[in-house]
Amino acid sequence: MAIKLPFIKSKQAKQSPEISTENTPKHIAIIMDGNGRWAKNRGLVRVAGHKEGLSSLMKIVKAAVKYEVEILTLYAFSTENWKRPKSEVEFILRLPKEFLEIYLPDLIANNVRINVIGDMEKLPEYTREAVQYAIDRTQNNDGLQVNFALNYGGRHEIIQAMKEMYTDLLDTKLTIDKIDEQRFSNYLYTAQMPEPDLLIRTGGEKRLSNFLLWQLAYTEFWFTDVLWPDFQEADFSLAIDHFQQRNRRYGGLSN
Ligand code: FPP
């Protein structure tokens, strides 16, 4: 199906007026990096970049809806981000509330379902309440699912999964011979979700930073130098176009 899109001007990517939703990635994961540098380049304080990042976030959510993406997983705050200055941590953790206060009606209008992956318990109450409200308000929506990765770490997730699995073994709800990759996946935050088809990292770094370590085993990667606050629908389209041309073999041979 081809959907007509308005022409979008971007320094980094040219937008074709047509998009193809054929062979669109079902699940896209994004590491939204470069906010601090974006602000520094403009002589602003780092957190100004995080704030600007919110409008990119909404633009990309809307683009994902157009592309008929099923799941968008966004790395918003990692288990390692606590090492940042307290004031920056607090600022970032206030962003979900701010984002949802502005955009929740728009998300609902776009049939988006909000979800969180990560260790919510350690988040401040204002973050948990705002996110939980959005989860509840959108739970019956059946369009794009947006996973906010908040206080998320891939290693932490695997250890948590292992502990839960071990508890089930002790409680004899599970036996060792039943453990396989599929069974293990069901203990992860992403249980029942398809694994990401495409990972986008903005901001020029080429690393995973402890994101979805288990789930990215066969994901296609797209790295771009564009800083997250500059990331536009046209850049997102470019990543998808590239994905659509890839030949995924999952360790086998091409057809
Ligand atoms: C990385 O840039 C970005 C973050 C740690 C925070 C990203 C969070 C948002 C865009 C908002 C999240 C909001 C919701 C609604 C979940 P950086 O600070 O590492 O940039 P740098 O590499 O240029 O320093």
Side-chain angles (χ1 to χ4, degrees), residues 32-37 46 50 54 57 76 81 84 95-96 99 148 228:
M32 306 179 286
D33 195 16
N35 295 347
R37 278 165 285 160
R46 286 180 53 78
H50 296 315
L54 292 188
L57 206 158
N81 286 151
R84 295 187 179 206
L95 291 176
F99 177 79
F148 292 137
W228 177 250

Side-chain angles (χ1 to χ4, degrees), residues 151-173:
N151 195 21
Y152 174 88
R155 290 181 176 178
H156 175 78
E157 177 183 37
I158 290 170
I159 298 284
Q160 279 306 113
M162 231 181 65
K163 284 183 181 171
E164 279 179 40
M165 206 168 68
Y166 191 60
T167 306
D168 283 352
L169 279 167
L170 291 177
D171 292 347
T172 65
K173 288 183 191 152

Side-chain angles (χ1 to χ4, degrees), residues 31-39 46 49-54 56-57 74-78 81 84 88 92 94-100 131 148-150 201 203 205 207 227-228:
I31 302 178
M32 306 179 286
D33 195 16
N35 295 347
R37 278 165 285 160
W38 182 92
R46 286 180 53 78
H50 296 315
K51 183 146 188 174
E52 187 65 23
L54 292 188
S56 296
L57 206 158
L74 303 161
Y75 207 8
F77 189 82
S78 77
N81 286 151
R84 295 187 179 206
E88 183 171 341
I92 298 174
R94 285 194 187 278
L95 291 176
K97 184 170 179 342
E98 196 167 324
F99 177 79
L100 292 164
V131 167
F148 292 137
L150 283 168
R201 182 173 186 144
E205 308 287 4
R207 53 177 174 252
L227 306 174
W228 177 250

Side-chain angles (χ1 to χ4, degrees), residues 61-72:
V61 167
K62 285 188 172 173
V65 170
K66 272 186 207 163
Y67 267 99
E68 299 174 8
V69 172
E70 291 172 17
I71 305 178
L72 193 60

Side-chain angles (χ1 to χ4, degrees), residues 5-253:
L5 278 183
F7 179 72
I8 290 155
K9 209 170 152 222
S10 161
K11 271 185 280 178
Q12 287 79 19
K14 286 202 180 88
Q15 171 71 58
S16 124
E18 300 232 320
I19 66 167
S20 164
T21 56
E22 212 171 287
N23 189 27
T24 295
K26 277 195 174 67
H27 183 173
I28 301 181
I30 307 185
I31 302 178
M32 306 179 286
D33 195 16
N35 295 347
R37 278 165 285 160
W38 182 92
K40 196 172 168 222
N41 293 344
R42 286 163 177 75
L44 302 170
V45 285
R46 286 180 53 78
V47 294
H50 296 315
K51 183 146 188 174
E52 187 65 23
L54 292 188
S55 58
S56 296
L57 206 158
M58 193 59 206
K59 277 183 217 159
I60 298 314
V61 167
K62 285 188 172 173
V65 170
K66 272 186 207 163
Y67 267 99
E68 299 174 8
V69 172
E70 291 172 17
I71 305 178
L72 193 60
T73 300
L74 303 161
Y75 207 8
F77 189 82
S78 77
T79 45
E80 286 72 37
N81 286 151
W82 295 104
K83 294 178 199 158
R84 295 187 179 206
K86 199 164 169 264
S87 57
E88 183 171 341
V89 166
E90 200 179 309
F91 192 93
I92 298 174
L93 292 178
R94 285 194 187 278
L95 291 176
K97 184 170 179 342
E98 196 167 324
F99 177 79
L100 292 164
E101 275 171 4
I102 304 168
Y103 295 112
L104 187 58
D106 213 359
L107 293 167
I108 292 171
N110 278 282
N111 196 20
V112 169
R113 189 152 66 94
I114 300 293
N115 181 48
V116 167
I117 61 168
D119 190 350
M120 285 270 279
E121 270 178 35
K122 294 192 182 68
L123 293 173
E125 206 173 319
Y126 51 79
T127 315
R128 273 187 282 127
E129 276 182 10
V131 167
Q132 193 55 54
Y133 179 74
I135 293 173
D136 295 343
R137 287 284 284 112
T138 61
Q139 65 180 341
N140 295 324
N141 292 352
D142 59 3
L144 174 71
Q145 175 175 329
V146 174
N147 296 322
F148 292 137
L150 283 168
N151 195 21
Y152 174 88
R155 290 181 176 178
H156 175 78
E157 177 183 37
I158 290 170
I159 298 284
Q160 279 306 113
M162 231 181 65
K163 284 183 181 171
E164 279 179 40
M165 206 168 68
Y166 191 60
T167 306
D168 283 352
L169 279 167
L170 291 177
D171 292 347
T172 65
K173 288 183 191 152
L174 181 68
T175 52
I176 286 184
D177 57 301
K178 292 276 189 315
I179 298 174
D180 59 14
E181 292 181 11
Q182 186 52 53
R183 183 77 54 146
F184 183 75
S185 300
N186 288 339
Y187 287 92
L188 299 171
Y189 294 123
T190 51
Q192 315 300 334
M193 295 180 206
E195 287 170 0
D197 302 294
L198 174 65
L199 170 83
I200 298 173
R201 182 173 186 144
T202 64
E205 308 287 4
K206 294 183 181 67
R207 53 177 174 252
L208 292 183
S209 302
N210 201 14
F211 193 38
L212 301 172
L213 297 181
W214 173 275
Q215 298 87 339
L216 296 178
Y218 278 101
T219 301
E220 301 291 332
F221 290 176
W222 174 258
F223 297 106
T224 170
D225 289 337
V226 180
L227 306 174
W228 177 250
D230 287 329
F231 195 73
Q232 304 288 323
E233 180 170 336
D235 302 296
F236 185 70
S237 301
L238 200 64
I240 293 183
D241 285 353
H242 197 80
F243 172 86
Q244 286 168 330
Q245 287 154 35
R246 292 200 191 168
N247 175 11
R248 302 182 79 193
R249 294 188 294 280
Y250 300 93
L253 302 175

